[in-house]
């Protein structure tokens, strides 16, 4: 029986690397210099790649290199193949050099660390002592992109319209949106706050990830006028704006799990109640057996803990 890789087209990782580098630099001379090859060798490798794939990937003029429509479509797949190959080769080197079982790369959106730490990493390390564990913080959009291109093995993120159906997902819990207010704010004395009560207030949200997108979508659907005055990258900046009475912070409740500031109050947002679904995510591509076993243990542990 023929093995699967024997049926693959005659396309090497080097050829994919040449195409991806050219797509990034958009210049033949710079690409050849970066790869330490001659321009004729680069041109020949590109022609071979186009021949195997069955179409033209780049347009080359005297002043510029541009991707064809096919080249644009092929590029993310080529990047994903290279990323997976690089990580697999790194794991093989680790196995040979240190006698380990490789590396598992787990991506997290920042607010979900309370779901994992401190117990689950210790549980995974005890179950797989030869497996190296890496945890990577990402915004939700970056987490999804890195799952798709193979830079992380699996992750915990939030389900929204940006999650493609090609990713496998396991919902873990609903995470309601809350307002963080200064304790002296008259509205902070209530356990609940209607979204319409935020009209006319200066609001602060994270500039990256999907939170700003979700809040904007709710405002549009409910015909609310929300003044999102501050867009910040870090949670301490967000809380600092609230401490200074400059803004009301809007964020999912999981971010406030470890909030112990007596100056700040967490108030549930209602009418409508807005939730995001936190989920375990991965690509459907099979992983090495030890990493698959690690994923299964993580999935079972998270379901049992929530």
């Amino acid at each position: 029986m023929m093995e699967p890789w024997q049926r693959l087209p005659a396309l090497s990782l080097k050829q994919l690397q040449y195409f991806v580098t050219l797509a990034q630099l958009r210049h033949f001379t710079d690409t050849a210099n970066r790869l330490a090859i001659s321009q004729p060798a680069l041109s020949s490798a590109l022609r071979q790649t186009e021949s195997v794939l069955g179409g033209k990937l780049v347009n080359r003029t005297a002043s510029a290199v541009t991707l064809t429509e096919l080249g644009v479509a092929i590029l993310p797949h080529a990047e994903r193949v290279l990323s997976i190959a690089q990580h697999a080769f790194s794991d093989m080197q680790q196995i040979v050099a240190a006698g380990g079982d490789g590396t598992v790369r787990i991506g997290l959106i920042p607010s979900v660390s309370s779901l994992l730490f401190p117990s689950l990493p210790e549980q995974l390390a005890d179950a797989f002592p030869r497996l190296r564990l890496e945890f990577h913080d990402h915004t939700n959009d970056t987490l999804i992109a890195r799952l798709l291109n193979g830079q992380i093995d699996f992750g915990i993120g939030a389900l929204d319209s940006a999650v493609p159906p090609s990713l496998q997902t396991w919902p873990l819990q609903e995470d309601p949106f809350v307002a963080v207010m200064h304790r002296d704010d008259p509205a902070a004395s209530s356990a609940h706050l209607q979204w319409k009560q935020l009209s006319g207030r200066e609001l602060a949200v994270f500039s990256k990830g999907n939170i700003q997108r979700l809040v904007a979508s709710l405002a549009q659907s409910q015909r609310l006028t929300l003044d999102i005055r501050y867009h910040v990258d870090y949670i301490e900046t967000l809380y600092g704006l609230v401490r200074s009475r400059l803004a009301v912070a809007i964020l999912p409740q999981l971010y406030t799990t470890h909030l112990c500031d007596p100056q700040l109050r967490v108030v549930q947002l209602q009418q409508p109640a807005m939730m995001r679904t936190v989920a375990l995510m991965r690509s459907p591509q099979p992983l090495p057996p030890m990493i698959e076993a690690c994923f299964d243990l993580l999935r079972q542990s998270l379901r049992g803990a929530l």
Side-chain angles (χ1 to χ4, degrees):
M1 179 178 177
M2 184 178 290
E3 296 292 346
W5 56 80
Q6 292 179 301
R7 297 193 296 269
L8 291 174
L11 189 62
S12 71
L13 291 175
K14 281 288 188 184
Q15 289 170 325
L16 288 179
Q17 182 188 30
Y18 294 171
F19 166 61
V20 169
T21 306
L22 180 62
Q24 293 169 344
L25 299 181
R26 302 299 176 97
H27 195 280
F28 266 79
T29 301
D30 292 346
T31 300
N33 290 338
R34 171 77 63 85
L35 297 168
I37 61 174
S38 67
Q39 286 193 53
L42 174 60
S43 297
S44 176
L46 182 61
R47 286 194 299 271
Q48 293 172 13
T49 303
E50 291 175 331
S51 176
V52 170
L53 293 176
K56 190 173 178 62
L57 299 178
V58 302
N59 292 314
R60 181 181 185 181
T61 66
S63 58
V65 172
T66 59
L67 295 183
T68 64
E69 185 176 342
L70 178 62
V72 170
I74 290 295
L75 180 59
H77 297 281
E79 290 173 331
R80 179 164 60 90
V81 169
L82 288 178
S83 177
I84 292 172
Q86 287 166 350
H87 287 132
F89 184 69
S90 175
D91 286 347
M92 288 188 286
Q93 285 183 312
Q94 180 183 327
I95 290 169
V96 171
D101 289 319
T103 301
V104 57
R105 301 167 182 87
I106 304 172
L108 305 169
I109 55 174
S111 58
V112 303
S113 60
S114 61
L115 303 181
L116 279 180
F117 302 104
S119 59
L120 277 176
E122 183 177 0
Q123 184 180 354
L124 294 174
D126 288 343
F128 307 100
R130 289 159 50 89
L131 192 63
R132 179 181 175 185
L133 300 175
E134 290 185 358
F135 296 93
H136 300 266
D137 277 342
H138 298 299
T139 65
N140 205 60
D141 291 344
T142 302
L143 177 78
I144 292 166
R146 297 203 170 198
L147 282 171
L148 291 172
N149 66 23
Q151 290 179 285
I152 55 178
D153 298 308
F154 38 88
I156 301 177
L159 298 180
D160 68 5
S161 58
V163 179
S166 58
L167 286 183
Q168 296 177 329
T169 60
W170 290 262
L172 299 174
Q173 73 174 61
E174 296 299 308
D175 188 16
F177 274 65
V178 298
V180 177
M181 316 182 82
H182 194 278
R183 66 181 180 185
D184 295 336
D185 192 308
S189 60
S190 174
H192 303 96
L193 188 69
Q194 296 180 21
W195 280 93
K196 66 181 182 181
Q197 292 177 264
L198 295 175
S199 295
R201 305 292 300 269
E202 294 187 356
L203 307 178
V205 300
F206 290 116
S207 58
K208 298 176 181 176
N210 64 347
I211 293 173
Q212 183 177 184
R213 186 165 64 238
L214 292 172
V215 172
S217 177
L218 178 134
Q220 183 178 15
S221 66
Q222 299 295 313
R223 299 182 179 179
L224 297 173
T225 301
L226 299 181
D227 181 10
I228 302 179
R229 182 62 57 91
Y230 301 100
H231 302 81
V232 305
D233 290 340
Y234 301 103
I235 195 164
E236 276 308 313
T237 307
L238 201 70
Y239 290 158
L241 289 167
V242 180
R243 292 188 193 102
S244 302
R245 299 179 174 84
L246 292 174
V248 174
I250 305 298
L251 68 169
Q253 186 171 332
L254 275 175
Y255 276 99
T256 67
T257 301
H258 301 295
L259 178 60
C260 300
D261 189 328
Q263 297 186 71
L264 305 181
R265 296 287 185 271
V266 179
V267 180
Q268 295 286 334
L269 287 168
Q270 292 188 344
Q271 296 188 7
M274 185 168 77
M275 308 273 184
R276 65 172 187 174
T277 302
V278 174
L280 185 61
M281 308 177 185
R282 61 167 287 179
S283 164
Q285 301 298 322
L287 297 167
M290 197 65 66
I291 297 179
E292 286 283 4
C294 180
F295 172 79
D296 288 339
L297 177 59
L298 178 64
R299 179 164 57 92
Q300 293 165 11
S301 298
L302 284 171
R303 282 184 169 178
L306 299 175

